[in-house]
Amino acid sequence: MDVSAFCASSPVYIRAAGGVAAAASGTVGTIGFADAPLRTDAKPVALRALVAQVAPQVSRMASRFSQLAVLGAADCLRRLEGAQASELDAHARIYLATGLGDVAHTDALYYGVMPPRSEMPPPARFATSGNNMAAFFVARYAGLTSRNLTLSQAELSLECALELALSDFAAGATCSALLGGVDETTLPREFYTRRFHVGADQVIGEGSGWLLLDAEPEHGVVRALGAILGASVVPAPATPDPNSLIEQVRRASQVFGVDALRTSRLVVMPGTGIAADQLMALQRELGATGPAWKCHDYLGWSGRFPTAAAVGIAAMFGPIVEHRTEGLTCLHVNRDPSGRTGLIAFEVYPSSH
């Protein structure tokens, strides 16, 4: 899809951001910029007790994947200030991105009904086995009655979901949306890596990162935290070209207006599909032609999973950086094995904005 299609609808404003990461051991706002990286693969710790505290209305039959989604969305929405929470539009749409979906719950159901066990699953477990149930439970927690969608495009799931959300904003189909990226860890490691590539020297993570998007820059006296400038999934080049990534990033920067923003630095957030040599090439190009360049390695603390960018982006608006005195322009860049490039450009407003 042509990235220029989103110029007229940009920006879409970010009212709140939050989530959980690293086996739900903390919110992205408190661990997102921690000094200590994630050293070992995230473990699939039990979440039911946490969900019972945060969202008691969520069914006990909700899978761990759905629980992770609800915990992340709850952290995002609790950051709304005062009257903002009561102003949450019940017609806000939900866009849930996931690269792997409800893997553990679905596999358990499958192995239970197939030989040699050949057992009939409990009706409630069967009814909650769909990947789209996580978005349903988020909607129930938030009191939303509008459309909810679950999108999955492997490494580029978040980019595809945001691209669709921006298209709906541009078409006037919605003026508020809750957008998230959710993926859970599983054991053993080989069970996980046969579905999503993680190098032997890399750490598997999990998380649930969410943004509350709005067409308006402020509600009452409360202004937005930032804005989405654009998102796009660019097709792979017809012929292999080592410079195609640089050209795609340059083009997106121009279309989304990144080059025109007067901020002190550009923060580039490389995704799971960006190799070290590609990152070095980007650094040389952006450092030579653009504003001061800085790389934010959020994968160091989040670990690797298909929608890790969701918690990485949400952390940029967390309380640890809420006292920032200058704005940031951020560009998330990712690629999938087929060569498609996913791009998300967003702006973090200074605290005094």
Side-chain angles (χ1 to χ4, degrees):
M1 187 176 291
D2 185 356
V3 293
S4 63
F6 297 115
C7 287
S9 64
S10 295
V12 169
Y13 299 95
I14 300 170
R15 288 180 62 191
V20 293
S25 60
T27 66
V28 296
T30 58
I31 68 172
F33 291 86
D35 293 331
L38 192 62
R39 299 289 186 186
T40 59
D41 292 344
K43 301 297 189 295
V45 299
L47 302 176
R48 193 170 303 283
L50 285 173
V51 175
Q53 288 181 327
V54 173
Q57 67 271 52
V58 172
S59 169
R60 288 182 54 82
M61 293 306 298
S63 68
R64 186 177 181 278
F65 175 71
S66 295
Q67 293 168 9
L68 189 63
V70 170
L71 287 174
D75 183 69
C76 173
L77 294 177
R78 76 178 178 84
R79 299 177 187 278
L80 290 173
E81 298 182 20
Q84 276 198 99
S86 62
E87 294 174 1
L88 183 62
D89 185 1
H91 298 292
R93 292 188 173 186
I94 293 177
Y95 301 83
L96 189 152
T98 179
L100 297 174
D102 202 340
V103 177
H105 188 77
T106 304
D107 265 31
L109 184 69
Y110 174 82
Y111 287 117
V113 300
M114 296 297 290
R117 295 177 62 180
S118 302
E119 299 174 349
M120 290 295 293
R125 176 172 293 180
F126 178 79
T128 58
S129 63
N131 290 329
N132 63 324
M133 288 303 298
F136 165 79
F137 284 120
V138 170
R140 181 170 184 180
Y141 164 76
L144 304 180
T145 59
S146 187
R147 182 180 185 184
N148 68 69
L149 297 171
T150 300
L151 300 95
S152 186
Q153 287 287 314
E155 289 92 338
L156 303 184
S157 298
L158 183 69
E159 291 84 349
C160 287
L162 185 51
E163 188 181 44
L164 178 59
L166 293 181
S167 178
D168 285 348
F169 271 95
T174 187
C175 59
S176 182
L178 190 57
L179 179 135
V182 186
D183 277 295
E184 66 173 335
T185 187
T186 54
L187 292 174
R189 182 181 174 92
E190 293 73 20
F191 179 88
Y192 190 92
T193 55
R194 73 178 185 222
R195 291 174 167 84
F196 179 69
H197 175 72
V198 179
D201 60 337
Q202 296 171 332
V203 177
I204 295 171
E206 71 170 4
S208 174
W210 292 82
L211 302 174
L212 179 60
L213 305 177
D214 203 286
E216 299 297 328
E218 61 182 73
H219 283 258
V221 297
V222 181
R223 297 187 177 182
L225 304 177
I228 300 292
L229 304 175
S232 181
V233 175
V234 183
T239 57
D241 181 0
N243 296 317
S244 64
L245 180 62
I246 292 174
E247 291 301 319
Q248 290 165 346
V249 170
R250 182 188 293 116
R251 172 62 177 154
S253 297
Q254 294 171 348
V255 171
F256 297 150
V258 171
D259 298 338
L261 294 176
R262 298 182 179 275
T263 55
S264 61
R265 62 182 178 179
L266 172 66
V267 178
V268 176
M269 304 171 65
T272 55
I274 301 298
D277 58 337
Q278 294 173 324
L279 182 58
M280 291 178 63
L282 278 175
Q283 184 174 7
R284 287 194 302 269
E285 174 67 19
L286 296 174
T289 62
W293 189 92
K294 180 178 177 60
C295 174
H296 177 42
D297 180 23
Y298 64 92
L299 294 173
W301 58 262
S302 71
R304 289 177 174 263
F305 56 97
T307 55
V311 296
I313 292 172
M316 298 300 290
F317 299 92
I320 286 182
V321 292
E322 68 181 0
H323 298 300
R324 54 194 175 272
T325 58
E326 56 187 27
L328 297 174
T329 305
C330 304
L331 184 64
H332 182 265
V333 185
N334 204 5
R335 263 195 169 176
D336 69 4
S338 71
R340 296 188 305 165
T341 300
L343 299 147
I344 298 174
F346 63 98
E347 190 177 4
V348 182
Y349 294 153
S351 298
S352 58
H353 176 77

